[in-house]
Amino acid sequence: MAARVLDGIKIRDEIFAELKGEIARLAGEGIRPGLAAVLVGENPASQLYVKSKIAACERLGLASWMHTPPASISTDQMLRLVQDLNHDNAVDGILIQLPLPSQVDTKRVLEAVDPAKDVDGFHPANLGRLVSGRPGLIACTPAGCMEILRRNGIASEGANAVVLGRSDIVGKPMALLLMHANATVTVCHSKTRDLPGMVRRADIVVAAMGKAGYVQADWIRPGAAVIDVGTNKVTDAKEAESLLRNFPARLQKFREKGSLLVGDVHPDAVNTAGALTPVPGGVGPMTITMLMSNTVKAARLRRGKASSTPGAAQSSAGAR
Ligand code: NAP
């Protein structure tokens, strides 16, 4: 039987509807949450991402600002811009679109962001809060994965969860969130022995490796829930044919377009998993959604108000 599709677009729409209510309540208190995005240089992919984030702000009625310094900007100039945004009271969230040019010290810039405005959840202070289960701003992609599980009634408590990847922005925070939700978590990486064996034990698999179709369908325990974070662009015809051998309609689309987006999990897993996020349309829409949620949450928390935004309770080990 084909896996249940865990539709990120449907959940995005649900959360946007909830956020609209929260934003209207804040408006009643004279507060309009605002996001400042910093887009350095002219990387087309980054331009597209920032454009979608600003469009989401506009859709929800949040204030937004876009700063577009040239690719030649220095670390000191970036630090000054971040300080200005830290001091601007209209700005609740600061988003530094990555990657930054090589001459800019990315870590220093990210650490200069006021943790209270760190809507990407990348600041060490927010990561520390997540480790210790205290309220803070949580990285958007893992927070979005948790919303997908929660809103589809997939229980984390007692589940064996396997996270593939240990990056600071996805794998590590994901593992912490699952642990706080009382899953038993195994984190795998490029040095893990017997990856298929690890995956076979999992009730919940979160794949965040950046390897197109790497996780084979027969690694997935029948009925397991699979959250596929990977977003990989495939342009090679042979690779596309091997990935989509059982999906003629998608293969035809690839032939027309010359490229396709696939996750880290082989598309054939739709026949073994119990539930699966599609790529595209699964985790992707949730990342921007949680950025919006974090901006509203930051607007409340900065003013000492309790937050009721989606995902607000996750870092405080709500399930314990
Ligand atoms: P990353 O920083 O490159 O980390 C990749 C992780 O995967 C590393 O921990 C690496 O292990 C591990 N890995 C690589 N090859 C492996 C293998 N063969 N077996 C086991 N582990 C392996 O990537 P990331 O930023 O976390 O992103 C991961 C993927 O998610 C990418 O495709 C990215 O585009 C996607 N992504 C999507 C969204 C979204 O909104 N949908 C958001 C963020 C990221 P080591 O640590 O040992 O090197």
Side-chain angles (χ1 to χ4, degrees):
M1 204 173 66
R4 177 157 62 109
V5 174
L6 304 173
D7 183 348
I9 293 172
K10 183 170 154 264
I11 299 177
R12 175 197 65 193
D13 291 345
E14 265 172 44
I15 294 181
F16 271 18
E18 291 163 20
L19 284 175
K20 277 190 178 159
E22 174 85 353
I23 291 162
R25 278 191 292 280
L26 284 169
E29 299 171 41
I31 300 166
R32 186 180 184 211
L35 176 72
V38 180
L39 169 64
V40 179
E42 298 192 349
N43 176 330
S46 295
Q47 283 173 331
L48 199 68
Y49 289 137
V50 172
K51 229 173 112 186
S52 329
K53 291 166 185 176
I54 298 288
C57 285
E58 285 166 1
R59 183 170 159 191
L60 287 170
L62 302 183
S64 61
W65 303 268
M66 195 150 104
H67 297 266
T68 54
S72 58
I73 193 167
S74 67
T75 301
D76 282 345
Q77 287 168 321
M78 272 300 282
L79 291 173
R80 273 198 293 280
L81 173 56
V82 169
Q83 285 313 332
D84 288 348
L85 297 173
N86 283 345
H87 292 132
D88 183 343
N89 201 38
V91 172
D92 294 295
I94 301 172
L95 168 102
I96 312 286
Q97 185 63 45
L98 301 179
L100 294 176
S102 55
Q103 80 277 7
V104 176
D105 184 336
T106 301
K107 274 201 168 158
R108 265 185 82 195
V109 171
L110 294 180
E111 286 182 20
V113 172
D114 179 348
K117 298 187 176 188
D118 169 41
V119 281
D120 265 330
F122 292 165
H123 195 284
N126 282 318
L127 284 172
R129 288 190 186 118
L130 177 57
V131 170
S132 59
R134 282 183 289 149
L137 295 166
I138 303 170
C140 300
T141 302
C145 294
M146 291 305 288
E147 286 293 327
I148 291 176
L149 291 173
R150 200 171 65 76
R151 288 173 189 255
N152 282 288
I154 296 166
S156 302
E157 182 154 322
N160 283 333
V162 170
V163 179
L164 306 175
R166 57 175 167 183
S167 70
D168 289 349
I169 60 170
V170 188
K172 280 180 201 156
M174 188 71 228
L176 288 162
L177 287 169
L178 284 163
M179 189 173 65
H180 288 319
N182 293 328
T184 303
V185 185
T186 306
V187 181
C188 300
H189 46 76
S190 64
K191 304 289 184 283
T192 296
R193 276 179 287 168
D194 188 20
L195 202 64
M198 295 288 178
V199 175
R200 282 193 181 106
R201 285 208 298 261
D203 304 306
I204 297 172
V205 180
V206 181
M209 299 186 294
K211 301 261 175 221
Y214 190 88
V215 178
Q216 298 301 302
D218 66 356
W219 300 4
I220 306 291
R221 200 179 61 71
V226 178
I227 307 293
D228 193 352
V229 181
T231 313
N232 310 291
K233 190 172 174 180
V234 171
T235 51
D236 181 77
K238 275 217 165 86
E239 192 180 2
E241 272 161 30
S242 132
L243 288 166
L244 298 178
R245 57 188 174 239
N246 295 318
F247 302 88
R250 281 188 77 188
L251 192 55
Q252 183 54 31
K253 264 197 186 158
F254 167 82
R255 289 191 180 120
E256 286 159 18
K257 237 180 114 191
S259 70
L260 106 131
L261 271 191
V262 284
D264 289 346
V265 179
H266 197 289
D268 285 351
V270 76
N271 294 317
T272 41
L276 178 71
T277 56
V279 177
V283 175
M286 292 305 295
T287 299
I288 292 187
T289 304
M290 299 318 288
L291 178 73
M292 298 299 109
S293 176
N294 271 350
T295 304
V296 175
K297 183 176 172 183
R300 276 206 164 278
L301 291 178
R302 280 197 330 114
R303 293 166 179 84
K305 296 172 191 293
S307 177
S308 58
T309 51
Q314 286 178 353
S315 72
S316 50
R320 254 194 266 167

